[in-house]
Coordinates of all heavy atoms in Angstrom, one line a residue:
M1 N 0.0 -0.7 -14.6 CA -1.0 0.2 -14.1 C -0.5 1.5 -13.4 O 0.4 1.3 -12.5 CB -1.9 -0.6 -13.1 CG -3.0 0.2 -12.5 SD -4.1 -0.9 -11.6 CE -4.3 0.1 -10.2
P2 N -0.8 2.6 -13.9 CA -0.2 3.9 -13.4 C -0.4 4.0 -11.9 O 0.5 4.5 -11.2 CB -1.0 4.9 -14.2 CG -1.5 4.3 -15.4 CD -1.8 2.9 -15.0
L3 N -1.5 3.7 -11.3 CA -1.7 3.9 -9.9 C -0.7 3.1 -9.0 O -0.1 3.6 -8.1 CB -3.1 3.6 -9.4 CG -3.4 3.8 -7.9 CD1 -3.2 5.3 -7.6 CD2 -4.8 3.3 -7.6
V4 N -0.5 1.8 -9.4 CA 0.5 1.0 -8.7 C 1.9 1.6 -8.8 O 2.6 1.7 -7.8 CB 0.4 -0.5 -9.1 CG1 1.6 -1.3 -8.6 CG2 -0.9 -1.1 -8.7
L5 N 2.2 2.0 -10.0 CA 3.5 2.6 -10.2 C 3.7 3.9 -9.4 O 4.8 4.1 -8.8 CB 3.8 2.8 -11.7 CG 3.9 1.6 -12.6 CD1 4.0 1.9 -14.0 CD2 5.0 0.7 -12.1
A6 N 2.7 4.7 -9.4 CA 2.8 6.0 -8.7 C 2.9 5.7 -7.2 O 3.6 6.4 -6.4 CB 1.6 6.9 -9.0
A7 N 2.2 4.7 -6.7 CA 2.2 4.3 -5.3 C 3.5 3.7 -4.8 O 3.8 3.8 -3.7 CB 1.0 3.5 -5.0
T8 N 4.2 3.0 -5.7 CA 5.3 2.2 -5.2 C 6.6 2.6 -5.8 O 7.7 2.0 -5.3 CB 5.1 0.7 -5.6 OG1 4.9 0.6 -7.0 CG2 3.8 0.2 -4.9
T9 N 6.7 3.5 -6.7 CA 8.0 3.9 -7.2 C 8.7 4.8 -6.2 O 8.1 5.7 -5.6 CB 7.8 4.7 -8.5 OG1 7.2 3.8 -9.4 CG2 9.2 5.0 -9.1
G10 N 10.0 4.6 -6.0 CA 10.8 5.4 -5.0 C 10.5 4.8 -3.6 O 9.8 3.8 -3.4
E11 N 11.1 5.5 -2.6 CA 11.0 5.1 -1.2 C 9.6 5.1 -0.7 O 9.2 4.2 0.0 CB 11.9 5.9 -0.3 CG 13.4 5.4 -0.4 CD 14.2 6.1 0.7 OE1 13.7 6.2 1.8 OE2 15.3 6.6 0.4
Q12 N 8.9 6.1 -1.0 CA 7.5 6.2 -0.5 C 6.5 6.5 -1.5 O 5.4 7.0 -1.2 CB 7.5 7.3 0.7 CG 8.2 6.8 1.9 CD 7.6 5.5 2.5 OE1 6.4 5.2 2.5 NE2 8.5 4.7 3.1
G13 N 6.8 6.3 -2.8 CA 5.8 6.5 -3.8 C 5.6 8.0 -4.1 O 6.4 8.8 -3.6
H14 N 4.6 8.4 -4.8 CA 4.4 9.7 -5.3 C 3.0 10.1 -5.0 O 2.1 10.0 -5.8 CB 4.7 9.9 -6.7 CG 6.1 9.6 -7.1 ND1 7.2 10.5 -6.9 CD2 6.7 8.4 -7.5 CE1 8.3 9.9 -7.2 NE2 8.1 8.7 -7.6
P15 N 2.7 10.5 -3.7 CA 1.3 10.8 -3.4 C 0.6 11.8 -4.2 O -0.6 11.7 -4.5 CB 1.4 11.3 -1.9 CG 2.8 11.5 -1.6 CD 3.6 10.8 -2.7
H16 N 1.3 12.8 -4.7 CA 0.7 13.8 -5.6 C 0.2 13.2 -6.9 O -0.9 13.6 -7.4 CB 1.6 15.0 -5.8 CG 2.9 14.7 -6.5 ND1 3.9 14.0 -5.8 CD2 3.4 14.8 -7.7 CE1 4.9 13.8 -6.6 NE2 4.6 14.3 -7.8
I17 N 0.9 12.3 -7.4 CA 0.5 11.6 -8.7 C -0.7 10.6 -8.4 O -1.6 10.6 -9.2 CB 1.7 10.9 -9.3 CG1 2.7 11.9 -9.8 CG2 1.2 10.0 -10.5 CD1 4.0 11.3 -10.3
V18 N -0.6 10.0 -7.2 CA -1.7 9.1 -6.8 C -3.0 10.0 -6.8 O -4.0 9.6 -7.3 CB -1.4 8.4 -5.5 CG1 -2.7 7.8 -4.9 CG2 -0.3 7.4 -5.6
D19 N -2.9 11.1 -6.1 CA -4.1 12.0 -6.0 C -4.6 12.5 -7.4 O -5.8 12.5 -7.6 CB -3.7 13.2 -5.1 CG -3.5 12.9 -3.7 OD1 -3.9 11.8 -3.3 OD2 -3.0 13.7 -3.0
L20 N -3.7 12.8 -8.3 CA -4.0 13.2 -9.6 C -4.8 12.1 -10.3 O -5.8 12.3 -11.0 CB -2.8 13.6 -10.4 CG -3.0 14.0 -11.9 CD1 -3.7 15.3 -12.0 CD2 -1.7 14.0 -12.6
L21 N -4.3 10.9 -10.2 CA -4.9 9.8 -10.9 C -6.3 9.5 -10.3 O -7.3 9.3 -11.0 CB -4.1 8.5 -10.8 CG -2.7 8.5 -11.6 CD1 -1.8 7.4 -11.1 CD2 -3.0 8.4 -13.1
L22 N -6.4 9.6 -9.0 CA -7.7 9.4 -8.3 C -8.7 10.5 -8.7 O -9.9 10.2 -9.0 CB -7.5 9.3 -6.9 CG -6.7 8.1 -6.3 CD1 -6.5 8.2 -4.8 CD2 -7.4 6.8 -6.7
R23 N -8.2 11.7 -8.8 CA -9.1 12.8 -9.3 C -9.6 12.6 -10.7 O -10.7 13.1 -11.1 CB -8.4 14.2 -9.2 CG -8.4 14.8 -7.8 CD -8.0 16.2 -7.9 NE -6.7 16.5 -8.5 CZ -5.5 16.5 -8.0 NH1 -5.4 16.1 -6.7 NH2 -4.4 16.7 -8.7
H24 N -8.9 11.8 -11.5 CA -9.3 11.6 -12.9 C -10.0 10.2 -13.0 O -10.1 9.7 -14.1 CB -8.0 11.6 -13.8 CG -7.6 13.1 -14.1 ND1 -7.0 13.8 -13.2 CD2 -7.9 13.8 -15.1 CE1 -6.8 15.0 -13.7 NE2 -7.4 15.1 -14.9
G25 N -10.4 9.7 -11.9 CA -11.3 8.5 -12.0 C -10.7 7.2 -11.9 O -11.4 6.2 -12.1
V26 N -9.4 7.1 -11.6 CA -8.8 5.7 -11.5 C -9.3 5.1 -10.3 O -9.5 5.7 -9.2 CB -7.2 5.9 -11.4 CG1 -6.6 4.6 -11.0 CG2 -6.7 6.4 -12.7
D27 N -9.6 3.8 -10.4 CA -10.2 3.0 -9.3 C -9.1 2.7 -8.3 O -8.1 2.0 -8.6 CB -10.8 1.7 -9.8 CG -11.3 0.8 -8.8 OD1 -11.3 1.1 -7.6 OD2 -11.8 -0.3 -9.2
I28 N -9.2 3.1 -7.1 CA -8.1 2.9 -6.1 C -8.0 1.5 -5.7 O -6.9 1.1 -5.2 CB -8.4 3.8 -4.8 CG1 -7.1 3.9 -4.0 CG2 -9.6 3.2 -4.0 CD1 -7.2 5.0 -2.9
N29 N -9.0 0.6 -6.0 CA -8.9 -0.8 -5.6 C -8.7 -1.7 -6.8 O -8.8 -2.9 -6.7 CB -10.2 -1.2 -4.9 CG -10.2 -0.5 -3.5 OD1 -9.3 -0.6 -2.7 ND2 -11.4 0.2 -3.3
R30 N -8.3 -1.1 -7.9 CA -8.0 -1.9 -9.1 C -6.8 -2.8 -8.9 O -5.9 -2.4 -8.2 CB -7.7 -1.0 -10.3 CG -7.6 -1.7 -11.6 CD -7.6 -0.8 -12.8 NE -7.4 -1.6 -14.0 CZ -6.8 -1.1 -15.0 NH1 -6.5 0.1 -15.1 NH2 -6.6 -1.9 -16.1
V31 N -6.9 -4.0 -9.5 CA -5.9 -5.0 -9.2 C -4.9 -5.1 -10.4 O -5.3 -5.0 -11.5 CB -6.6 -6.4 -9.0 CG1 -5.6 -7.5 -8.9 CG2 -7.5 -6.3 -7.8
M32 N -3.6 -5.2 -10.0 CA -2.6 -5.4 -11.0 C -1.8 -6.6 -10.5 O -1.2 -6.6 -9.4 CB -1.6 -4.2 -11.2 CG -0.6 -4.4 -12.2 SD 0.5 -3.0 -12.4 CE 2.0 -3.6 -11.5
K33 N -1.7 -7.6 -11.3 CA -1.0 -8.9 -10.9 C -1.5 -9.4 -9.6 O -0.7 -9.7 -8.7 CB 0.5 -8.7 -10.9 CG 1.1 -8.4 -12.3 CD 2.6 -8.4 -12.3 CE 3.1 -8.1 -13.7 NZ 4.5 -8.2 -13.8
D34 N -2.8 -9.4 -9.4 CA -3.5 -10.0 -8.3 C -3.3 -9.2 -7.0 O -3.5 -9.7 -5.9 CB -3.0 -11.4 -8.1 CG -4.0 -12.2 -7.3 OD1 -5.3 -12.0 -7.4 OD2 -3.6 -13.1 -6.5
K35 N -2.9 -7.9 -7.1 CA -2.7 -7.1 -5.9 C -3.2 -5.6 -6.2 O -3.0 -5.1 -7.3 CB -1.3 -7.0 -5.4 CG -0.8 -8.3 -4.8 CD 0.6 -8.0 -4.2 CE 1.6 -8.9 -4.8 NZ 2.9 -8.7 -4.3
T36 N -3.8 -5.0 -5.2 CA -4.1 -3.6 -5.3 C -2.9 -2.7 -5.0 O -1.9 -3.2 -4.5 CB -5.3 -3.2 -4.3 OG1 -4.7 -3.4 -2.9 CG2 -6.5 -4.0 -4.5
A37 N -3.0 -1.4 -5.2 CA -1.9 -0.5 -4.9 C -1.6 -0.6 -3.4 O -0.4 -0.5 -3.0 CB -2.3 0.9 -5.3
L38 N -2.6 -0.7 -2.6 CA -2.4 -0.7 -1.1 C -1.6 -2.0 -0.8 O -0.7 -2.0 0.0 CB -3.7 -0.7 -0.4 CG -3.6 -0.9 1.1 CD1 -2.9 0.2 1.8 CD2 -5.0 -1.1 1.7
E39 N -2.0 -3.1 -1.4 CA -1.3 -4.4 -1.1 C 0.2 -4.3 -1.6 O 1.1 -4.8 -0.9 CB -2.1 -5.5 -1.7 CG -3.4 -5.7 -1.1 CD -4.4 -6.5 -1.9 OE1 -4.1 -6.8 -3.1 OE2 -5.5 -6.8 -1.4
W40 N 0.4 -3.7 -2.7 CA 1.8 -3.5 -3.2 C 2.6 -2.6 -2.2 O 3.7 -2.9 -1.8 CB 1.8 -2.9 -4.6 CG 1.5 -3.9 -5.7 CD1 0.3 -4.0 -6.4 CD2 2.4 -4.9 -6.2 NE1 0.4 -5.0 -7.3 CE2 1.7 -5.6 -7.2 CE3 3.7 -5.3 -6.0 CZ2 2.2 -6.6 -8.0 CZ3 4.2 -6.3 -6.7 CH2 3.5 -7.0 -7.7
A41 N 2.0 -1.5 -1.8 CA 2.7 -0.5 -0.9 C 3.0 -1.2 0.4 O 4.1 -1.1 1.0 CB 1.8 0.7 -0.8
A42 N 2.0 -2.0 0.9 CA 2.2 -2.7 2.2 C 3.3 -3.7 2.1 O 4.2 -3.8 3.0 CB 0.9 -3.4 2.6
G43 N 3.4 -4.4 1.0 CA 4.5 -5.4 0.7 C 5.8 -4.8 0.6 O 6.8 -5.4 0.9
F44 N 5.9 -3.5 0.1 CA 7.2 -2.8 -0.1 C 7.6 -2.1 1.2 O 8.6 -1.4 1.2 CB 7.1 -1.9 -1.3 CG 7.2 -2.6 -2.6 CD1 6.4 -2.1 -3.7 CD2 8.0 -3.7 -2.8 CE1 6.4 -2.8 -4.9 CE2 8.0 -4.3 -4.1 CZ 7.2 -3.9 -5.1
G45 N 6.7 -2.1 2.2 CA 7.1 -1.4 3.4 C 6.9 0.1 3.4 O 7.6 0.8 4.1
Q46 N 6.1 0.6 2.5 CA 5.9 2.0 2.3 C 4.8 2.6 3.3 O 3.7 2.6 3.0 CB 5.5 2.3 0.8 CG 6.7 2.0 -0.1 CD 6.3 2.2 -1.5 OE1 5.3 1.8 -2.0 NE2 7.2 2.9 -2.2
V47 N 5.3 3.0 4.4 CA 4.4 3.4 5.5 C 3.5 4.6 5.1 O 2.3 4.6 5.2 CB 5.2 3.8 6.8 CG1 4.3 4.3 7.9 CG2 6.0 2.6 7.2
Q48 N 4.2 5.7 4.6 CA 3.4 6.9 4.3 C 2.4 6.6 3.1 O 1.3 7.1 3.2 CB 4.3 8.0 3.9 CG 5.0 8.6 5.1 CD 6.5 8.6 4.9 OE1 7.1 8.0 4.0 NE2 7.2 9.3 5.8
M49 N 2.8 5.9 2.1 CA 1.9 5.6 1.0 C 0.7 4.7 1.5 O -0.4 4.9 1.1 CB 2.6 4.9 -0.1 CG 1.7 4.7 -1.3 SD 0.8 6.2 -1.9 CE 2.1 7.2 -2.6
T50 N 1.0 3.7 2.4 CA -0.1 2.9 2.9 C -1.1 3.8 3.6 O -2.3 3.7 3.4 CB 0.5 1.9 3.9 OG1 1.4 1.0 3.2 CG2 -0.6 1.0 4.6
H51 N -0.6 4.7 4.5 CA -1.5 5.6 5.2 C -2.3 6.5 4.2 O -3.5 6.8 4.3 CB -0.8 6.5 6.1 CG -0.4 5.8 7.4 ND1 -1.3 5.6 8.4 CD2 0.8 5.3 7.8 CE1 -0.7 5.0 9.4 NE2 0.6 4.7 9.1
H52 N -1.6 7.0 3.1 CA -2.2 7.8 2.1 C -3.3 7.1 1.4 O -4.4 7.6 1.2 CB -1.1 8.3 1.1 CG -1.6 9.4 0.2 ND1 -1.8 10.7 0.6 CD2 -1.9 9.3 -1.1 CE1 -2.3 11.3 -0.5 NE2 -2.3 10.5 -1.5
L53 N -3.0 5.9 1.0 CA -4.0 5.1 0.2 C -5.2 4.8 1.1 O -6.4 4.9 0.7 CB -3.4 3.8 -0.3 CG -2.4 4.1 -1.5 CD1 -1.6 2.8 -1.7 CD2 -3.1 4.5 -2.7
L54 N -5.0 4.5 2.4 CA -6.1 4.2 3.3 C -6.9 5.5 3.5 O -8.2 5.4 3.4 CB -5.6 3.7 4.6 CG -5.0 2.3 4.7 CD1 -4.3 2.0 6.0 CD2 -6.2 1.3 4.4
A55 N -6.3 6.6 3.6 CA -7.0 7.9 3.8 C -7.8 8.3 2.5 O -8.8 8.9 2.7 CB -6.0 9.0 4.1
R56 N -7.3 7.8 1.4 CA -8.0 8.2 0.1 C -9.1 7.1 -0.2 O -9.8 7.2 -1.2 CB -7.0 8.2 -1.0 CG -6.1 9.4 -1.0 CD -6.8 10.8 -1.0 NE -7.8 10.9 -2.0 CZ -7.6 11.5 -3.2 NH1 -6.4 12.1 -3.4 NH2 -8.5 11.5 -4.1
G57 N -9.3 6.1 0.7 CA -10.4 5.2 0.5 C -10.1 3.8 0.0 O -10.9 3.0 -0.4
A58 N -8.8 3.5 0.0 CA -8.4 2.1 -0.4 C -9.0 1.1 0.6 O -9.0 1.4 1.8 CB -6.9 1.9 -0.4
T59 N -9.5 0.0 0.1 CA -10.0 -1.0 0.9 C -8.9 -1.8 1.6 O -8.1 -2.4 1.0 CB -10.9 -2.0 0.1 OG1 -11.9 -1.3 -0.6 CG2 -11.5 -3.1 1.0
P60 N -8.9 -1.8 3.0 CA -7.9 -2.6 3.7 C -8.2 -4.0 3.6 O -9.4 -4.4 3.7 CB -8.1 -2.1 5.1 CG -9.4 -1.4 5.2 CD -9.8 -1.0 3.8
T61 N -7.3 -4.8 3.3 CA -7.5 -6.3 3.1 C -6.6 -7.1 3.9 O -5.5 -6.7 4.3 CB -7.2 -6.6 1.6 OG1 -5.9 -6.3 1.3 CG2 -8.2 -5.8 0.6
V62 N -7.0 -8.4 4.1 CA -6.1 -9.4 4.7 C -4.9 -9.6 3.9 O -3.8 -9.8 4.4 CB -6.9 -10.7 4.9 CG1 -6.0 -11.8 5.4 CG2 -8.1 -10.5 5.9
K63 N -5.0 -9.5 2.6 CA -3.8 -9.6 1.7 C -2.8 -8.6 2.0 O -1.6 -8.8 2.0 CB -4.3 -9.6 0.3 CG -3.1 -9.9 -0.7 CD -3.5 -9.9 -2.1 CE -3.4 -11.3 -2.7 NZ -3.8 -11.4 -4.1
A64 N -3.2 -7.3 2.2 CA -2.3 -6.2 2.5 C -1.6 -6.6 3.8 O -0.4 -6.4 4.0 CB -3.0 -4.9 2.6
L65 N -2.3 -7.1 4.8 CA -1.7 -7.4 6.1 C -0.7 -8.6 5.9 O 0.4 -8.5 6.4 CB -2.9 -7.9 7.0 CG -2.5 -8.2 8.5 CD1 -1.8 -7.0 9.2 CD2 -3.7 -8.6 9.2
S66 N -1.1 -9.6 5.1 CA -0.1 -10.7 4.8 C 1.1 -10.2 4.1 O 2.2 -10.7 4.4 CB -0.9 -11.7 4.0 OG -1.9 -12.3 4.7
E67 N 0.9 -9.3 3.2 CA 2.1 -8.7 2.4 C 3.0 -8.0 3.4 O 4.3 -8.1 3.3 CB 1.6 -7.7 1.3 CG 0.9 -8.4 0.2 CD 1.8 -9.2 -0.7 OE1 3.0 -8.9 -0.8 OE2 1.4 -10.2 -1.2
A68 N 2.5 -7.2 4.3 CA 3.3 -6.5 5.3 C 4.0 -7.5 6.2 O 5.2 -7.3 6.5 CB 2.5 -5.6 6.1
R69 N 3.3 -8.5 6.7 CA 4.0 -9.5 7.5 C 5.1 -10.3 6.8 O 6.1 -10.5 7.3 CB 2.9 -10.5 8.0 CG 2.1 -9.9 9.1 CD 1.3 -10.9 9.8 NE 0.6 -10.2 10.9 CZ -0.7 -10.5 11.3 NH1 -1.4 -11.3 10.6 NH2 -1.2 -9.8 12.3
A70 N 4.8 -10.6 5.5 CA 5.9 -11.3 4.7 C 7.1 -10.4 4.5 O 8.2 -10.8 4.6 CB 5.3 -11.7 3.4
G71 N 6.8 -9.1 4.3 CA 7.9 -8.1 4.2 C 8.8 -8.0 5.4 O 10.0 -7.9 5.4
A72 N 8.1 -8.0 6.6 CA 8.8 -8.0 7.9 C 9.7 -9.2 8.1 O 10.8 -9.1 8.6 CB 7.8 -7.9 9.0
K73 N 9.3 -10.3 7.6 CA 10.1 -11.5 7.7 C 11.3 -11.5 6.7 O 12.4 -12.0 7.0 CB 9.3 -12.8 7.4 CG 8.3 -13.1 8.5 CD 7.5 -14.3 8.1 CE 6.4 -14.6 9.2 NZ 5.5 -15.6 8.8
R74 N 11.1 -10.8 5.6 CA 12.2 -10.7 4.6 C 13.3 -9.7 5.0 O 14.4 -9.9 4.7 CB 11.6 -10.2 3.2 CG 11.0 -11.3 2.4 CD 10.7 -10.8 1.0 NE 10.1 -9.4 1.0 CZ 8.7 -9.2 0.9 NH1 7.9 -10.2 0.9 NH2 8.3 -8.0 0.9
S75 N 12.9 -8.7 5.7 CA 13.8 -7.6 6.0 C 13.7 -7.2 7.5 O 12.9 -6.4 7.8 CB 13.5 -6.4 5.1 OG 14.4 -5.3 5.5
L76 N 14.6 -7.8 8.3 CA 14.5 -7.4 9.7 C 14.9 -5.9 9.9 O 14.4 -5.2 10.8 CB 15.5 -8.2 10.5 CG 15.1 -9.7 10.6 CD1 16.2 -10.5 11.4 CD2 13.8 -9.9 11.3
K77 N 15.7 -5.4 9.0 CA 16.1 -4.0 9.0 C 14.9 -3.0 8.9 O 14.8 -2.0 9.4 CB 17.1 -3.7 7.9 CG 17.9 -2.4 8.0 CD 19.2 -2.5 7.2 CE 18.9 -1.9 5.8 NZ 20.2 -1.8 5.1
A78 N 13.9 -3.5 8.1 CA 12.7 -2.7 7.9 C 11.5 -3.1 8.7 O 10.4 -2.6 8.5 CB 12.3 -2.7 6.4
A79 N 11.7 -3.9 9.7 CA 10.7 -4.5 10.5 C 9.8 -3.4 11.2 O 8.6 -3.5 11.3 CB 11.2 -5.5 11.6
A80 N 10.5 -2.3 11.6 CA 9.7 -1.3 12.3 C 8.7 -0.6 11.3 O 7.6 -0.3 11.7 CB 10.7 -0.2 12.8
N81 N 9.1 -0.4 10.1 CA 8.2 0.1 9.1 C 7.0 -0.8 8.8 O 5.9 -0.4 8.8 CB 8.9 0.3 7.7 CG 9.8 1.6 7.7 OD1 9.7 2.4 8.6 ND2 10.6 1.7 6.7
Y82 N 7.3 -2.1 8.7 CA 6.2 -3.1 8.5 C 5.3 -3.1 9.7 O 4.1 -3.3 9.5 CB 6.8 -4.4 8.2 CG 7.4 -4.5 6.8 CD1 8.7 -4.6 6.6 CD2 6.5 -4.5 5.7 CE1 9.2 -4.6 5.3 CE2 7.0 -4.6 4.4 CZ 8.4 -4.7 4.2 OH 8.9 -4.7 2.9
A83 N 5.8 -2.9 10.9 CA 5.0 -2.9 12.1 C 4.0 -1.8 12.1 O 2.9 -1.9 12.5 CB 5.9 -2.9 13.4
L84 N 4.5 -0.6 11.6 CA 3.6 0.5 11.4 C 2.5 0.3 10.4 O 1.3 0.7 10.7 CB 4.4 1.8 11.0 CG 5.4 2.3 12.1 CD1 6.3 3.4 11.5 CD2 4.7 2.8 13.3
I85 N 2.8 -0.4 9.4 CA 1.8 -0.7 8.4 C 0.8 -1.7 9.0 O -0.4 -1.6 8.8 CB 2.5 -1.3 7.1 CG1 3.2 -0.2 6.4 CG2 1.4 -1.9 6.2 CD1 4.2 -0.7 5.3
I86 N 1.3 -2.7 9.7 CA 0.4 -3.7 10.3 C -0.5 -3.0 11.3 O -1.7 -3.3 11.3 CB 1.3 -4.8 10.9 CG1 1.9 -5.7 9.8 CG2 0.4 -5.7 11.9 CD1 3.1 -6.6 10.3
D87 N 0.0 -2.1 12.1 CA -0.8 -1.4 13.0 C -1.9 -0.6 12.3 O -3.0 -0.5 12.8 CB 0.1 -0.4 13.9 CG 0.9 -1.2 14.9 OD1 0.7 -2.4 15.1 OD2 1.9 -0.5 15.4
A88 N -1.5 0.1 11.2 CA -2.5 0.9 10.4 C -3.6 0.0 9.9 O -4.8 0.4 9.9 CB -1.8 1.6 9.3
L89 N -3.2 -1.2 9.4 CA -4.3 -2.1 8.9 C -5.1 -2.6 10.0 O -6.4 -2.7 9.9 CB -3.6 -3.2 8.1 CG -3.0 -2.7 6.8 CD1 -2.0 -3.8 6.2 CD2 -4.0 -2.3 5.8
H90 N -4.5 -3.0 11.1 CA -5.3 -3.4 12.3 C -6.3 -2.3 12.7 O -7.4 -2.6 13.1 CB -4.4 -3.8 13.4 CG -3.8 -5.2 13.3 ND1 -2.7 -5.5 13.9 CD2 -4.2 -6.3 12.6 CE1 -2.3 -6.8 13.6 NE2 -3.2 -7.2 12.8
A91 N -5.8 -1.1 12.7 CA -6.7 0.0 13.1 C -8.0 0.2 12.2 O -9.0 0.7 12.7 CB -5.9 1.3 13.1
T92 N -7.9 -0.4 11.0 CA -9.1 -0.3 10.1 C -10.0 -1.5 10.4 O -11.0 -1.6 9.7 CB -8.7 -0.3 8.6 OG1 -8.0 -1.6 8.3 CG2 -7.7 0.8 8.3
G93 N -9.5 -2.4 11.2 CA -10.3 -3.6 11.5 C -9.9 -4.9 10.8 O -10.5 -5.9 11.0
V94 N -8.8 -4.8 10.0 CA -8.4 -6.0 9.3 C -7.7 -6.9 10.3 O -6.8 -6.5 11.0 CB -7.4 -5.6 8.2 CG1 -6.8 -6.9 7.6 CG2 -8.1 -4.8 7.2
E95 N -8.1 -8.2 10.3 CA -7.5 -9.2 11.1 C -7.4 -10.4 10.3 O -8.2 -10.6 9.3 CB -8.4 -9.5 12.4 CG -8.5 -8.4 13.3 CD -7.3 -8.0 14.1 OE1 -6.4 -8.9 14.3 OE2 -7.2 -6.8 14.4
D96 N -6.5 -11.3 10.6 CA -6.4 -12.5 9.8 C -6.6 -13.8 10.7 O -6.8 -13.7 11.9 CB -5.1 -12.7 9.1 CG -3.8 -12.5 9.9 OD1 -4.0 -12.3 11.1 OD2 -2.8 -12.7 9.4

């Protein structure tokens, strides 16, 4: 799915391509392999893309929160990034 690839390729994804796809009607909450672009980005520790997708209307989910928490456990080196994602999701009201 192009949106997931645009959101997750590289260190922080490609926000300009995400925006282009959204302008052309791609569903921001479409699922690929049982996860949305937001859930994939959260799982990969992509702070800026997580914020970008939330700002563009992605639905914050408990699954995105779980993905970020799992990522933090996998990579202590990236724990600070995952903490920022967790905080952003909590700010939207997502709790588990």
Side-chain angles (χ1 to χ4, degrees):
M1 174 171 138
L3 182 61
V4 170
L5 294 174
T8 59
T9 302
E11 277 190 44
Q12 289 301 326
H14 300 279
H16 59 286
I17 296 174
V18 167
D19 291 345
L20 176 71
L21 291 168
L22 295 175
R23 278 195 306 274
H24 283 78
V26 170
D27 178 3
I28 197 166
N29 294 308
R30 187 168 175 207
V31 174
M32 182 181 103
K33 294 189 179 183
D34 202 33
K35 291 188 237 178
T36 65
L38 175 64
E39 293 160 353
W40 283 104
F44 287 140
Q46 295 178 311
V47 178
Q48 287 125 348
M49 184 54 68
T50 298
H51 283 281
H52 188 75
L53 290 167
L54 288 170
R56 291 301 309 261
T59 302
T61 63
V62 172
K63 185 180 245 180
L65 187 59
S66 297
E67 290 290 327
R69 287 193 172 136
K73 288 179 185 175
R74 282 191 311 268
S75 174
L76 294 177
K77 196 161 90 173
N81 284 348
Y82 287 108
L84 293 171
I85 292 168
I86 291 166
D87 288 347
L89 291 166
H90 280 158
T92 67
V94 174
E95 297 292 331
D96 55 354

